[in-house]
Amino acid sequence: MADWLRERCTRWPQATNPHLIVTSQAYRHPTSPQISYTGMRSAFDHIGLRPRQLWSDRVLDEAHETVDPVCLVRLFGIHPRVAVKYVHTAHPDKALPRIR
């Protein structure tokens, strides 16, 4: 984590987002300079991760904490169908209706 924080500080010294994980959408204040997807991706390539993998892991981790797909929809802005799939994966023993 310390390495990532140092890397983030080096790559985006003007980032105004206080969160550990920075995305191309959430890294900046509207008045700050923009960052490209390629710029974000290079930091992840350096450590062997894909941003999508990290995001999916984050959603799944949150799904382990709740059986409410509406919570995931609100938190991550995902489609209800996707939220139900994450909840089913995290809680296979729970009987939620499947949305097709």
Side-chain angles (χ1 to χ4, degrees), residues 1-9 12 15-28 35 40 43-44 47 49-59 61 76:
M1 185 167 60
D3 289 345
W4 172 247
L5 288 171
R6 277 192 295 280
E7 177 76 13
R8 186 179 89 164
C9 186
W12 305 289
T16 55
N17 188 318
H19 302 288
L20 176 62
I21 302 300
V22 176
T23 67
S24 58
Q25 291 82 29
Y27 110 97
R28 67 185 194 94
I35 185 170
M40 277 297 303
F44 284 92
I47 58 173
L49 279 176
R50 290 182 15 229
R52 185 73 176 172
Q53 287 173 297
L54 193 59
W55 183 85
S56 293
D57 287 349
R58 174 67 184 98
V59 177
D61 183 60
F76 296 103

Side-chain angles (χ1 to χ4, degrees), residues 3 11 15 24 29 50 58 64 73 76 80-81 89:
D3 289 345
R11 287 183 181 266
S24 58
H29 186 273
R50 290 182 15 229
R58 174 67 184 98
H64 282 286
V73 169
F76 296 103
R81 226 177 256 153
T89 301

